[in-house]
Amino acid sequence: MSLSAIRGAALTFTQDPFFNKPEESYSFIEDALIVIQDGLIKSVAPYAAEAAEGLAVERHEDAIICPGFIDCHTHYPQIRIIGAFGEQLLEWLNTYTFAAEQAFADPDQARMTARVFLAELLRCGATTAAVYCTVHPQSVEAFFEASAEVGARMIAGKVLMDRNAPASLLDAAGRDIEESRRLLEKWHGHGRQLYAVTPRFAPSSTPRQLEAAARLWREYPGSYLQTHLSENVAELAWVRELFPERGSYLDVYNHYGLVGPRSIFGHCIHLEEDDFARFSRDGAAMAHCPTSNLFLGSGFFKLLEAKKKWRPVKVGLASDIGAGTSFSMLQTLNEAYKAARMTGARLTALEGFYLATRGGAEALDLADKIGSLAPGFEADLIVLDLKATPLMEFRMQYAGTLAEKLFVLMTIGDDRAVRATYVAGRKAHWRG
Ligand code: GUN
Ligand code: ZN
């Protein structure tokens, strides 16, 4: 049995602040003692000397302890092409992305890149992510091996593509599903690892592959389905051309059986009310990728359309590396705030931190395991340093309330604000 404790200001959400009174949606303890036993949170309570007796207590001042951030959509192979100049989605895929992904036929390249990617996630405070590998099964093996070594709760899967990509990245009919099934059976539920069936997006899969992917996903309760939806207007036109008989982009996925609980759709920018209604009805989740959407010039996610109390849609935040430009969920929130402003909406700090933690866990159907600081939850937590930079230290003097401090954190904070990251109670990153 291992027992340890962390002491400091602690923030966790108890319900969704978009749908409830914000001030009743969270718990903040100025001086909390969080006791961790065997990778799980044993207790969270105001500090008391008796409770800390005999424990190795790590104390954090000028900081806020919160659940580890959750990144609901990202591509580990694309860490190699962050900051690739000048294109929109379809040209960006052809010019940079497919070229980079070909390297993952080599397991050594995959292993090396997976390690760098995971280290960067942890440095930025993300303890869970939903990750695209490449079409190569060895890219999936490399990612899960590296993630299992860290002990992080990760969702990942083999990309499925059988048309409209370079020949060396295309699945052979029949092999695609067999390989996915083998990886799913090996890794889904192996320790903290979870599998996502991963058709890249409608244009790069034939109807046969979409249908087979849905069948595989539905055969394994608890597994995930991840893909891209409605990111770019040229992509939308292409989908209409490829699937003329379908009413909308989402209708393509729905037609082949790919929409339901534990399905996660990246971007979701150019959607109509019917689409939001289906998401709500079917329990599917949207991954909001603001840095990517701005970088590629894709558009602005309609956050307030998604977060309607009368037809709620699950929304998580996402980096979408390498179209996204930051691993930091703080920087992602910074851009999410601006994207919301462009649609006339205001993303509050409490809403933002909810999206980055418990909201993400709900989007990934993991809200009973991660995303909260509460007894029985997995001990993935981060320590955010309120004085991480000279500017933050100066600015924080003039931030009175918790909401003000959080808003400054999500506006000017980044990886430097993550003082420590704990994965299943073990310190996996320490700044300094
Ligand atoms: N749509 C299909 N594939 C991709 C990808 O790799 N990145 C992004 N941003 N959109 C996609
Ligand atoms: Zn993506």
Side-chain angles (χ1 to χ4, degrees), residues 14 21 30 54 127 191 213 278 336 380 384:
T14 50
K21 289 200 177 119
E30 284 278 359
T127 48
R278 175 164 296 287
D380 294 340
L384 296 173

mmCIF file of all heavy atoms in Angstrom, residues 14 21 30 54 127 191 213 278 336 380 384:
data_model
loop_
_atom_site.group_PDB
_atom_site.id
_atom_site.type_symbol
_atom_site.label_atom_id
_atom_site.label_comp_id
_atom_site.label_asym_id
_atom_site.label_seq_id
_atom_site.Cartn_x
_atom_site.Cartn_y
_atom_site.Cartn_z
ATOM 1 N N THR A 14 -18.370 20.088 -9.372
ATOM 2 C CA THR A 14 -19.356 19.105 -8.918
ATOM 3 C C THR A 14 -20.532 19.003 -9.886
ATOM 4 O O THR A 14 -21.275 18.035 -9.868
ATOM 5 C CB THR A 14 -19.884 19.512 -7.521
ATOM 6 O OG1 THR A 14 -20.277 20.902 -7.570
ATOM 7 C CG2 THR A 14 -18.797 19.352 -6.469
ATOM 8 N N LYS A 21 -26.107 27.107 -11.524
ATOM 9 C CA LYS A 21 -25.520 28.331 -11.000
ATOM 10 C C LYS A 21 -24.009 28.108 -10.877
ATOM 11 O O LYS A 21 -23.580 27.174 -10.191
ATOM 12 C CB LYS A 21 -26.109 28.647 -9.628
ATOM 13 C CG LYS A 21 -27.544 29.114 -9.671
ATOM 14 C CD LYS A 21 -27.900 29.854 -8.382
ATOM 15 C CE LYS A 21 -29.314 30.372 -8.468
ATOM 16 N NZ LYS A 21 -30.180 29.803 -7.423
ATOM 17 N N GLU A 30 -9.437 26.440 0.241
ATOM 18 C CA GLU A 30 -8.233 27.307 0.287
ATOM 19 C C GLU A 30 -6.996 26.542 0.709
ATOM 20 O O GLU A 30 -5.909 26.750 0.177
ATOM 21 C CB GLU A 30 -8.450 28.452 1.295
ATOM 22 C CG GLU A 30 -9.339 29.567 0.811
ATOM 23 C CD GLU A 30 -8.605 30.579 -0.066
ATOM 24 O OE1 GLU A 30 -7.384 30.429 -0.296
ATOM 25 O OE2 GLU A 30 -9.285 31.514 -0.536
ATOM 26 N N GLY A 54 1.953 11.307 9.892
ATOM 27 C CA GLY A 54 2.567 10.093 9.359
ATOM 28 C C GLY A 54 2.633 10.029 7.842
ATOM 29 O O GLY A 54 3.190 9.089 7.286
ATOM 30 N N THR A 127 -3.404 14.933 -18.566
ATOM 31 C CA THR A 127 -3.147 13.573 -18.077
ATOM 32 C C THR A 127 -3.948 12.528 -18.850
ATOM 33 O O THR A 127 -3.677 11.336 -18.728
ATOM 34 C CB THR A 127 -3.471 13.480 -16.572
ATOM 35 O OG1 THR A 127 -4.750 14.077 -16.334
ATOM 36 C CG2 THR A 127 -2.418 14.203 -15.745
ATOM 37 N N GLY A 191 -4.591 -2.232 -18.315
ATOM 38 C CA GLY A 191 -4.285 -1.148 -17.375
ATOM 39 C C GLY A 191 -5.256 -0.002 -17.595
ATOM 40 O O GLY A 191 -6.466 -0.189 -17.610
ATOM 41 N N ALA A 213 -16.321 -0.280 -39.665
ATOM 42 C CA ALA A 213 -15.821 0.371 -38.449
ATOM 43 C C ALA A 213 -16.927 0.442 -37.398
ATOM 44 O O ALA A 213 -16.709 0.166 -36.215
ATOM 45 C CB ALA A 213 -15.301 1.771 -38.778
ATOM 46 N N ARG A 278 -29.179 15.926 -32.839
ATOM 47 C CA ARG A 278 -28.771 14.514 -32.895
ATOM 48 C C ARG A 278 -27.675 14.203 -31.878
ATOM 49 O O ARG A 278 -27.709 13.181 -31.209
ATOM 50 C CB ARG A 278 -28.312 14.121 -34.302
ATOM 51 C CG ARG A 278 -27.768 12.696 -34.350
ATOM 52 C CD ARG A 278 -27.651 12.104 -35.724
ATOM 53 N NE ARG A 278 -28.906 11.930 -36.416
ATOM 54 C CZ ARG A 278 -29.818 10.985 -36.121
ATOM 55 N NH1 ARG A 278 -29.592 10.144 -35.126
ATOM 56 N NH2 ARG A 278 -30.933 10.898 -36.794
ATOM 57 N N ALA A 336 -10.065 29.544 -27.030
ATOM 58 C CA ALA A 336 -11.496 29.220 -26.977
ATOM 59 C C ALA A 336 -12.290 30.463 -26.580
ATOM 60 O O ALA A 336 -13.388 30.711 -27.090
ATOM 61 C CB ALA A 336 -11.754 28.086 -25.988
ATOM 62 N N ASP A 380 -5.099 11.689 -10.864
ATOM 63 C CA ASP A 380 -4.443 12.476 -11.909
ATOM 64 C C ASP A 380 -4.685 13.930 -11.555
ATOM 65 O O ASP A 380 -5.813 14.416 -11.680
ATOM 66 C CB ASP A 380 -5.069 12.194 -13.280
ATOM 67 C CG ASP A 380 -4.840 10.761 -13.745
ATOM 68 O OD1 ASP A 380 -3.909 10.111 -13.224
ATOM 69 O OD2 ASP A 380 -5.587 10.309 -14.626
ATOM 70 N N LEU A 384 -1.134 24.189 -10.475
ATOM 71 C CA LEU A 384 -0.978 25.372 -11.323
ATOM 72 C C LEU A 384 -0.370 26.511 -10.505
ATOM 73 O O LEU A 384 -0.938 26.919 -9.488
ATOM 74 C CB LEU A 384 -2.325 25.786 -11.916
ATOM 75 C CG LEU A 384 -2.945 24.748 -12.865
ATOM 76 C CD1 LEU A 384 -4.351 25.163 -13.280
ATOM 77 C CD2 LEU A 384 -2.053 24.546 -14.094
#
